[in-house]
Amino acid sequence: MDLPVVDLSRYLGISARRGAGALPPAAAEVEAEEVELRALCATVSGCLRDTGALLVKDPRCSVEDNDRFLDMMERYFGRPEEFKRLQARPALHYQVGATPEGVEVPRSLVDEDMQAKIKLMPEESQPAIPRGPDPKWRYMWRVGPRPANTRFQELNSEPVIPEGFPEWKETMDSWGSKMIAAIEVVAEMAAIGFGLDKDAFTSLMKQGPHLLAPTGSDLQRHGSLGTVFAGYHYDLNFLTIHGRSRFPGLSIWLRNGQKMEVKVPVGCLLIQTGMQIEWLTGGKCLAGMHEVTVTNRTLEAIEFAKQQNRSIWRVSSTLFAHIASDAILKPLGHFAETPFASKYPPTCAGDFVERELGVINLKGRKGYS
């Protein structure tokens, strides 16, 4: 199956006109608009609930924006390892700056419950089994304002800027803010589709520790079929958004257990559900499981890039949108009455994030590197 593509233009246009205080349209037009918007919102919430993923088109996020970001990150990840390690901050849980390859441990490598569930899957739906930490680099860049006072300073630290990239801050801030804006619209639409207040999710996202977190995978060294760059896992945040990568390889698992390699059309963004939205919906939305491996389509893209003399670093244009660190995660509204709501007790978002980071080997310790 293919994921539906939701064009956000219509929702943005109607919202902008209403916010500008323009003369209200005729009653019949208002009613037609409401029917259209509610159908769009139902598509968003239904897709997140049933598949854990959604493709969107946002007129504010252009192909040129994505390409400019990818070009810069390909140059960065192509720099020597000793240079990139200068930007690593293990004492801050690697939540800013560089995370070297071989540090992040995929959840499926250490979670025994997850391993037991994998064994019960049909063979064709089982993920690749990683043999160790992920052989990918990552760069963490904070997007948006941070809270003046927080118990979780490590999750809200100042960004790290590598030398030799004068365009770094402007490029990262520009692309990151555009993807956050797309996430906020999807969060509004999902809330409406789920029968919650429009700002049920976005109000909790304000001053969250949002992270633009591109990965860099060296396909020259690790480009053989079946290599696991990101082992089977879920994301711990609220929603994850990706621009289109130049090299395929991302597979997701639908709610029914089916494995699907994702094809992101040009000009589209991929959104995936994380653990925080699972918490807020009392398990109605489950965190989407996914992995990144070298597939046959990846190998074809590598050959094409070599013919064009382009970089063969696989860069993911990934952003993790979070609930604010000091906010409380709990099932919202009618989700508090769902059968599984008791599995999601009130929990401080920052505490939850720190626990999850500890499991995947990213929580810094004294003397850890």
Side-chain angles (χ1 to χ4, degrees), residues 49-73:
R49 179 193 64 224
D50 296 337
T51 70
L54 174 71
L55 291 168
V56 300
K57 202 164 191 176
D58 188 324
R60 302 166 300 177
C61 299
S62 69
V63 174
E64 292 74 23
D65 291 330
N66 195 20
D67 284 343
R68 184 165 70 116
F69 173 79
L70 291 177
D71 289 344
M72 185 182 76
M73 293 311 303

Short mmCIF file of all heavy atoms in Angstrom, two decimals, residues 49-73:
data_model
loop_
_atom_site.label_atom_id
_atom_site.label_comp_id
_atom_site.label_asym_id
_atom_site.label_seq_id
_atom_site.Cartn_x
_atom_site.Cartn_y
_atom_site.Cartn_z
N ARG A 49 -3.15 7.03 13.25
CA ARG A 49 -3.64 5.94 14.11
C ARG A 49 -3.42 4.58 13.47
O ARG A 49 -2.97 3.63 14.13
CB ARG A 49 -5.14 6.15 14.37
CG ARG A 49 -5.79 5.07 15.24
CD ARG A 49 -7.30 5.20 15.16
NE ARG A 49 -7.78 4.93 13.81
CZ ARG A 49 -8.69 5.67 13.18
NH1 ARG A 49 -9.24 6.73 13.75
NH2 ARG A 49 -9.07 5.35 11.94
N ASP A 50 -3.70 4.45 12.18
CA ASP A 50 -3.72 3.14 11.53
C ASP A 50 -2.36 2.71 10.97
O ASP A 50 -2.10 1.51 10.85
CB ASP A 50 -4.75 3.13 10.40
CG ASP A 50 -6.17 3.33 10.91
OD1 ASP A 50 -6.41 3.04 12.10
OD2 ASP A 50 -7.03 3.79 10.13
N THR A 51 -1.51 3.67 10.62
CA THR A 51 -0.24 3.33 9.99
C THR A 51 0.97 3.86 10.76
O THR A 51 2.10 3.39 10.53
CB THR A 51 -0.15 3.87 8.54
OG1 THR A 51 -0.04 5.30 8.59
CG2 THR A 51 -1.38 3.50 7.74
N GLY A 52 0.77 4.85 11.63
CA GLY A 52 1.90 5.45 12.33
C GLY A 52 2.73 6.37 11.46
O GLY A 52 3.80 6.82 11.86
N ALA A 53 2.24 6.66 10.24
CA ALA A 53 3.00 7.50 9.32
C ALA A 53 2.04 8.24 8.39
O ALA A 53 0.89 7.85 8.20
CB ALA A 53 3.98 6.67 8.51
N LEU A 54 2.55 9.32 7.79
CA LEU A 54 1.73 10.17 6.94
C LEU A 54 2.66 10.97 6.03
O LEU A 54 3.73 11.41 6.45
CB LEU A 54 0.92 11.14 7.82
CG LEU A 54 0.09 12.22 7.12
CD1 LEU A 54 -1.12 11.59 6.42
CD2 LEU A 54 -0.38 13.25 8.14
N LEU A 55 2.27 11.14 4.77
CA LEU A 55 2.99 12.01 3.85
C LEU A 55 2.22 13.33 3.71
O LEU A 55 0.99 13.31 3.56
CB LEU A 55 3.14 11.36 2.48
CG LEU A 55 4.08 10.15 2.41
CD1 LEU A 55 3.91 9.43 1.07
CD2 LEU A 55 5.52 10.58 2.60
N VAL A 56 2.93 14.44 3.79
CA VAL A 56 2.28 15.74 3.62
C VAL A 56 3.05 16.58 2.62
O VAL A 56 4.25 16.40 2.40
CB VAL A 56 2.16 16.51 4.96
CG1 VAL A 56 1.35 15.73 5.96
CG2 VAL A 56 3.52 16.90 5.52
N LYS A 57 2.33 17.52 2.05
CA LYS A 57 2.93 18.52 1.17
C LYS A 57 2.65 19.87 1.80
O LYS A 57 1.49 20.22 2.06
CB LYS A 57 2.32 18.42 -0.23
CG LYS A 57 3.16 19.01 -1.33
CD LYS A 57 2.66 18.53 -2.68
CE LYS A 57 3.68 18.89 -3.75
NZ LYS A 57 3.29 18.36 -5.06
N ASP A 58 3.71 20.63 2.09
CA ASP A 58 3.58 21.93 2.72
C ASP A 58 4.20 22.96 1.79
O ASP A 58 5.40 22.89 1.50
CB ASP A 58 4.29 21.95 4.08
CG ASP A 58 4.02 23.21 4.89
OD1 ASP A 58 3.90 24.29 4.28
OD2 ASP A 58 3.91 23.13 6.13
N PRO A 59 3.41 23.94 1.29
CA PRO A 59 3.95 24.91 0.33
C PRO A 59 5.09 25.75 0.90
O PRO A 59 5.86 26.35 0.15
CB PRO A 59 2.74 25.78 -0.01
CG PRO A 59 1.80 25.63 1.15
CD PRO A 59 2.00 24.22 1.62
N ARG A 60 5.23 25.77 2.23
CA ARG A 60 6.29 26.56 2.87
C ARG A 60 7.62 25.82 2.91
O ARG A 60 8.66 26.40 3.23
CB ARG A 60 5.87 26.94 4.29
CG ARG A 60 4.56 27.73 4.35
CD ARG A 60 4.00 27.78 5.76
NE ARG A 60 3.71 26.45 6.29
CZ ARG A 60 3.26 26.20 7.52
NH1 ARG A 60 3.05 27.22 8.34
NH2 ARG A 60 3.03 24.98 7.92
N CYS A 61 7.61 24.51 2.60
CA CYS A 61 8.82 23.67 2.62
C CYS A 61 9.14 23.24 1.19
O CYS A 61 8.55 22.30 0.67
CB CYS A 61 8.61 22.43 3.49
SG CYS A 61 8.23 22.79 5.22
N SER A 62 10.06 23.95 0.54
CA SER A 62 10.32 23.70 -0.88
C SER A 62 11.41 22.65 -1.08
O SER A 62 12.19 22.36 -0.17
CB SER A 62 10.75 25.01 -1.56
OG SER A 62 12.04 25.40 -1.11
N VAL A 63 11.45 22.10 -2.28
CA VAL A 63 12.50 21.15 -2.65
C VAL A 63 13.86 21.83 -2.54
O VAL A 63 14.85 21.22 -2.10
CB VAL A 63 12.26 20.63 -4.09
CG1 VAL A 63 13.44 19.76 -4.55
CG2 VAL A 63 10.96 19.85 -4.17
N GLU A 64 13.93 23.12 -2.92
CA GLU A 64 15.19 23.86 -2.86
C GLU A 64 15.69 23.99 -1.42
O GLU A 64 16.89 23.89 -1.15
CB GLU A 64 15.02 25.25 -3.48
CG GLU A 64 14.78 25.27 -4.98
CD GLU A 64 13.38 24.82 -5.38
OE1 GLU A 64 12.45 24.90 -4.52
OE2 GLU A 64 13.21 24.37 -6.53
N ASP A 65 14.77 24.21 -0.47
CA ASP A 65 15.14 24.28 0.95
C ASP A 65 15.77 22.96 1.40
O ASP A 65 16.81 22.94 2.07
CB ASP A 65 13.90 24.54 1.83
CG ASP A 65 13.34 25.94 1.65
OD1 ASP A 65 14.13 26.85 1.36
OD2 ASP A 65 12.12 26.10 1.81
N ASN A 66 15.12 21.86 1.04
CA ASN A 66 15.61 20.53 1.43
C ASN A 66 16.98 20.27 0.80
O ASN A 66 17.90 19.78 1.47
CB ASN A 66 14.61 19.47 0.99
CG ASN A 66 14.85 18.12 1.65
OD1 ASN A 66 15.49 18.02 2.69
ND2 ASN A 66 14.33 17.07 1.05
N ASP A 67 17.15 20.62 -0.48
CA ASP A 67 18.41 20.37 -1.17
C ASP A 67 19.55 21.19 -0.57
O ASP A 67 20.68 20.69 -0.43
CB ASP A 67 18.27 20.69 -2.66
CG ASP A 67 17.52 19.61 -3.43
OD1 ASP A 67 17.39 18.49 -2.89
OD2 ASP A 67 17.05 19.88 -4.55
N ARG A 68 19.28 22.44 -0.22
CA ARG A 68 20.32 23.28 0.38
C ARG A 68 20.80 22.67 1.69
O ARG A 68 21.99 22.64 2.00
CB ARG A 68 19.77 24.70 0.62
CG ARG A 68 20.80 25.69 1.16
CD ARG A 68 20.30 27.11 1.01
NE ARG A 68 19.20 27.39 1.91
CZ ARG A 68 19.25 28.29 2.90
NH1 ARG A 68 20.36 28.98 3.13
NH2 ARG A 68 18.21 28.51 3.67
N PHE A 69 19.86 22.16 2.48
CA PHE A 69 20.20 21.51 3.75
C PHE A 69 21.02 20.25 3.51
O PHE A 69 22.06 20.02 4.14
CB PHE A 69 18.90 21.19 4.50
CG PHE A 69 19.09 20.38 5.74
CD1 PHE A 69 19.53 20.96 6.91
CD2 PHE A 69 18.84 19.02 5.74
CE1 PHE A 69 19.72 20.21 8.06
CE2 PHE A 69 19.02 18.26 6.88
CZ PHE A 69 19.45 18.86 8.05
N LEU A 70 20.57 19.39 2.58
CA LEU A 70 21.27 18.15 2.30
C LEU A 70 22.68 18.41 1.77
O LEU A 70 23.63 17.71 2.14
CB LEU A 70 20.49 17.31 1.29
CG LEU A 70 19.15 16.72 1.77
CD1 LEU A 70 18.46 15.99 0.62
CD2 LEU A 70 19.34 15.78 2.94
N ASP A 71 22.84 19.42 0.90
CA ASP A 71 24.16 19.74 0.36
C ASP A 71 25.13 20.07 1.49
O ASP A 71 26.28 19.62 1.49
CB ASP A 71 24.07 20.93 -0.60
CG ASP A 71 23.38 20.60 -1.92
OD1 ASP A 71 23.23 19.40 -2.22
OD2 ASP A 71 22.97 21.54 -2.62
N MET A 72 24.69 20.90 2.44
CA MET A 72 25.56 21.30 3.55
C MET A 72 25.90 20.11 4.44
O MET A 72 27.06 19.92 4.84
CB MET A 72 24.90 22.40 4.39
CG MET A 72 25.81 22.95 5.48
SD MET A 72 25.01 24.19 6.51
CE MET A 72 23.95 23.14 7.54
N MET A 73 24.91 19.28 4.75
CA MET A 73 25.16 18.15 5.64
C MET A 73 26.04 17.09 4.97
O MET A 73 26.83 16.42 5.64
CB MET A 73 23.84 17.53 6.11
CG MET A 73 23.00 18.43 7.01
SD MET A 73 23.92 19.18 8.40
CE MET A 73 24.57 17.74 9.24
#
